[in-house]
Each structure stands twice: as C-alpha cells, then as structure tokens.
Amino acid sequence: MSTIAAGDGTDRERRVDLDWLRIIAFAILIFYHVGLLYLPWPYHAKSSHRVPAIEPLMRLVNPWRLLLLFLISGCATRFLARRMPPGALLAGRSVRLLVPLVFGMLVIVPPQSYVQAVEQFAYRAGFLHFYVAEYLGGTRRLCRATCLALPTWNHLWFVLYLYAYTLVLIALTILLRPVRASVGAFVDRAAANGAFVVAPVLLLILARAALLPSFPPNDAFVGDWYAHSIYLAAFLLGFLMAGCDVAWKSLDRCRWPASILAAAVSAVAWPGHPADPSFGWTALLHRHETIAMPVYQWSVIIAMLAFGRRLLPRTDGPWRRYLTAAVFPFYLVHQTAIVLAAYALRDAGWSAAAEAAAIVSITVVSCLATFEIVRRSRWLRPLFGLRRVRTASPADAGGHFKPLANGSKPSIHPPDRSAPGKSDAP
C-alpha cells in the first residue's frame, strides 16, 4: 500500500539526497541571476558588459530550474505532513513563509527596486525618499517604456506561490481523507504503470498549448495561469512521489533514456550563432516547441532525481544540516546582494569575468554573514524562515545530559534541530 495511505516506507526518514539536490538547485540560482546581469533579458540591474556566449547555457537551465524547486518543495511538505496534522501544518507554513515574505517585501526587496528605478527609470532622489514616497506610497508606479509597480515582491514570488500551493494541498488532504487508502492504492498502480514518467510530460504539453499563449508568466500571482498550472502540478507531484517508492524505482529505470533524450534535445537546440533569430531553439525544434520543451524539461528532472538518489550522499552529516538550514535565508538575501554589488561595480572599469567573480563572491559572503547573524538570534530567525529556538533546560524532554570531562557537573545539550526530518529549511 502506498505510504500516502499507510504512512510507512520512503517517507519514514528524510531524503538527504533531495536536500543536497535542493542545495545544488539554489546554488545554480545564484549563478543564473548573476548571468542575467550580462544578457538583454529583463532584470533589476544590468552590467555595462554583455556576454552573449552564456545565453545558450542560460536557456538550457531556465526551463527546468523552477519546476525542480517546486517538486522538491512538494517532497519536503510530504515529510512535514507525515508528522503534522493539517492545522499544525497550516500554522507552521504560515509563520515560516508569510512572515519572511512580508519582511522581505519591507526590508530586503526595496534596495533592488531602488537600483532598478535609478538605472532603468532615471530616478534621481535618494533611497530614503524613494522608500517612503515611492515604495510605500501605495500603488505608485514609475513608468518609462515599461512601468515599475511598487511595492513588490520581486524574487520572493516563489515564497508566495509556495504558500498558496500549500493551502491547496492542505485542502485536498482534508477533502480526500475519507478515501485516503483508495487514493494511495491508485497512486501505486499509476506509478507501477509509468505514470510519473509520462503524465508530467503530457501535462506540460497541455499547459503550454492551452495556457502559455494567453497567460505568459508574470510572477504577479493574479492571472499567472500557465505558471500556476505547471508549478502547482510539480508541487503536488513531489508530494505524491515522496510517499511512493514505486515512483522512484520507475524514474530510476528511466535515468539513462531520460539523460540521453535531454542531451539530444540540448544538442539540437544549441544555436550556431548568438545572432540566430531562433536562438535557443533551432528551426526544427522551434516548429515543435510545444512538445520538445516539455520533453526536455521532464527528461532533465528525471535524470537529476534518479542520478541524485544514486550519487548524492544518502547519510546525514553536519554539512547537510548547515546548508539545508542556510538555503532559505540565502534565497531571501541573494538577489539583493547581487543587484547592489552589480550597481556598485558597474562603473569600476573591470572586465566582465573579474566583475562577475566579484559579484558572486560578494553575494556568497553576504548570504553567509546574514545567515550566521540570523541563526544566532531568536528574534531574527522567524524573519528569515528559521524556527525560533528556545533555551534548553533540565526539564526539556528533548535535551540530554552530557557529563563534563572532570565529571563534576552535567551540562544540558538541546536536541539537534537540524536532524533528519527537522530541518530549518522551509
């Protein structure tokens, strides 16, 4: 019987390999956002350099990176739901997603918007005036060729979408509770017949054909129907997969075909020259993009999940615990660090390579410094999506006594709150 019904099997312990895959995905995100500084694609800041040589690689990463993150988030939510009733899950997600979202919009995002206003909208006043008069001015818009809506969530749209999808998931688990066993059995049968390999591709094709032309992604939540259709599906799919070992075995059997297919599509899609109007897709694939893109997206994800499960560490350790806890604070801070560093170095006269290396270094150091400060403060931790840690006492059931070297007095050590299944990462 599926673990969705029985609560056994693959969801009994945390999937450490998925933690590592999420860490890798967020590391890619930092480099991806730095890459946007050097391309003509829309972004909040721009370097004075243009590096068209990186565009093919960016186009190969872009189609699957967010789908993978939402899928892994669905898996993580499955592990939480195993040990939390719906009400507790709702309360926990509300605190650890909405609080950082509001804090981020008020504190973390405004510097990004200010740089964008200065560089792209010729704004001339100082940051304090911008923050009070423009950013917090209600529904103010700065307009030139396009408009900058304020206030905004910028990269934190992911947090809002994740919270909304969690609400949908909680509602579904409550509604389907009377038929939980039947749903679990159906998922097992579907997984055994390859549904987790084929169905996501079909869904991506349908969404691309029916919704993308009329509802291109806007990150505004309202009217973002194409994005909702694929990201919510990935989130729910991750939730189902986390409790279904048959699904993981099915993906594992397809790891090599998926890898070969993804590599083949990548090779055909790679353009001959950056000036090619079909840049990113050759004429052949451009004509069949509605099918080719979903096949590529899901093939890459199958390969990453399957090979990740085989090759990434499956035993826990201090590095996994530290980085898993750091991922969400890193995500909150990284784009502001990138934008401010790019703004500061724009007129420094450095080469593109030196500038990019400096921006990456500044971003990583800024994120590390923020995390080190935040994780030590019980008041700052909730603002960055971390659990507020209380001081352990001898009466704490979770603490344990550890005798001192001289055997004189014991000290209390609180339980490791980053142990498997208790990570600080949302």
Side-chain angles (χ1 to χ4, degrees):
M1 181 181 293
S2 169
T3 59
I4 296 170
D8 297 325
T10 57
D11 71 337
R12 185 169 294 280
E13 294 186 3
R14 188 178 190 90
R15 284 281 304 277
V16 175
D17 58 300
L18 290 180
D19 281 334
W20 281 112
L21 200 56
R22 177 167 54 181
I23 291 165
I24 293 170
F26 275 108
I28 292 173
L29 186 64
I30 291 178
F31 288 96
Y32 181 86
H33 282 161
V34 171
L36 291 177
L37 298 170
Y38 300 94
L39 295 178
W41 302 0
Y43 197 53
H44 311 290
K46 288 296 176 182
S47 168
S48 59
H49 300 283
R50 289 293 177 268
V51 186
I54 67 172
E55 188 164 355
L57 183 59
M58 298 279 284
R59 287 188 179 273
L60 293 179
V61 171
N62 185 58
W64 51 262
R65 59 188 182 89
L66 291 169
L67 281 174
L68 178 65
L69 286 174
F70 276 110
L71 187 145
I72 295 175
S73 296
C75 292
T77 304
R78 176 69 185 96
F79 297 123
L80 289 173
R82 178 181 62 84
R83 54 190 177 87
M84 288 184 178
L89 181 61
L90 174 61
R93 296 291 83 190
S94 297
V95 171
R96 299 188 67 191
L97 293 176
L98 289 186
V99 171
L101 175 61
V102 174
F103 174 75
M105 291 179 65
L106 293 176
V107 177
I108 298 174
V109 169
Q112 301 177 33
S113 298
Y114 177 70
V115 169
Q116 187 172 4
V118 170
E119 288 193 351
Q120 301 175 20
F121 296 89
Y123 190 79
R124 292 294 177 258
F127 174 74
L128 184 60
H129 182 273
F130 168 82
Y131 185 73
V132 175
E134 311 293 348
Y135 192 84
L136 297 181
T139 57
R140 295 290 297 271
R141 284 175 176 263
L142 298 177
C143 293
R144 217 172 181 183
T146 59
C147 289
L148 177 63
L150 301 171
T152 182
W153 44 61
N154 278 8
H155 67 297
L156 302 185
W157 69 267
F158 178 86
V159 181
L160 175 65
Y161 284 42
L162 183 57
Y163 180 73
Y165 301 159
T166 303
L167 296 182
V168 173
L169 175 63
I170 291 174
L172 288 175
T173 57
I174 294 174
L175 290 174
L176 297 177
R177 183 179 296 169
V179 293
R180 184 175 58 180
S182 299
V183 171
F186 173 80
V187 170
D188 275 348
R189 289 195 301 271
N193 291 319
F196 284 87
V197 175
V198 178
V201 177
L202 299 179
L203 187 146
L204 290 170
I205 292 173
L206 178 63
R208 196 168 190 85
L211 296 175
L212 182 58
S214 300
F215 304 100
N218 60 27
D219 299 344
F221 192 80
V222 177
D224 204 6
W225 294 115
Y226 169 71
H228 288 317
S229 68
I230 62 174
Y231 296 150
L232 175 60
F235 180 77
L236 296 177
L237 185 68
F239 182 87
L240 295 175
M241 288 174 56
C244 183
D245 191 52
V246 179
W248 292 99
K249 292 178 180 178
S250 177
L251 296 185
D252 185 72
R253 288 193 297 269
C254 295
R255 66 190 185 278
W256 283 112
S259 300
I260 295 171
L261 186 58
V265 174
S266 300
V268 176
W270 200 277
H273 191 276
D276 187 345
S278 62
F279 189 69
W281 290 107
T282 58
L284 173 64
L285 288 183
H286 188 70
R287 289 196 299 269
H288 304 285
E289 185 178 12
T290 301
I291 296 175
M293 180 68 83
V295 169
Y296 171 71
Q297 288 172 298
W298 192 241
S299 296
V300 172
I301 291 176
I302 288 177
M304 294 187 72
L305 292 174
F307 280 108
R309 194 180 190 195
R310 283 175 168 263
L311 302 178
L312 292 173
R314 300 181 70 175
T315 56
D316 197 22
W319 276 109
R320 195 287 305 172
R321 292 192 291 271
Y322 181 87
L323 293 174
T324 300
V327 159
F328 196 54
F330 266 54
Y331 174 74
L332 294 175
V333 173
H334 84 280
Q335 184 160 281
T336 297
I338 290 172
V339 170
L340 291 179
Y343 181 62
L345 297 175
R346 179 181 174 88
D347 299 320
W350 294 4
S351 67
E355 181 186 82
I359 292 173
V360 170
S361 300
I362 292 170
T363 300
V364 173
V365 170
S366 300
C367 292
L368 278 172
T370 300
F371 177 61
E372 284 299 321
I373 293 170
V374 166
R375 76 187 187 102
R376 288 169 166 79
S377 169
R378 66 188 301 264
W379 301 107
L380 291 177
R381 288 176 65 91
L383 300 178
F384 287 82
L386 304 180
R387 291 185 182 90
R388 179 176 288 177
V389 179
R390 61 187 178 89
T391 304
S393 67
D396 268 340
H400 62 270
F401 287 98
K402 182 177 179 181
L404 299 178
N406 59 13
S408 58
K409 291 183 179 180
S411 62
I412 296 295
H413 289 253
D416 183 359
R417 299 184 187 276
S418 296
K422 297 183 180 180
S423 169
D424 267 320

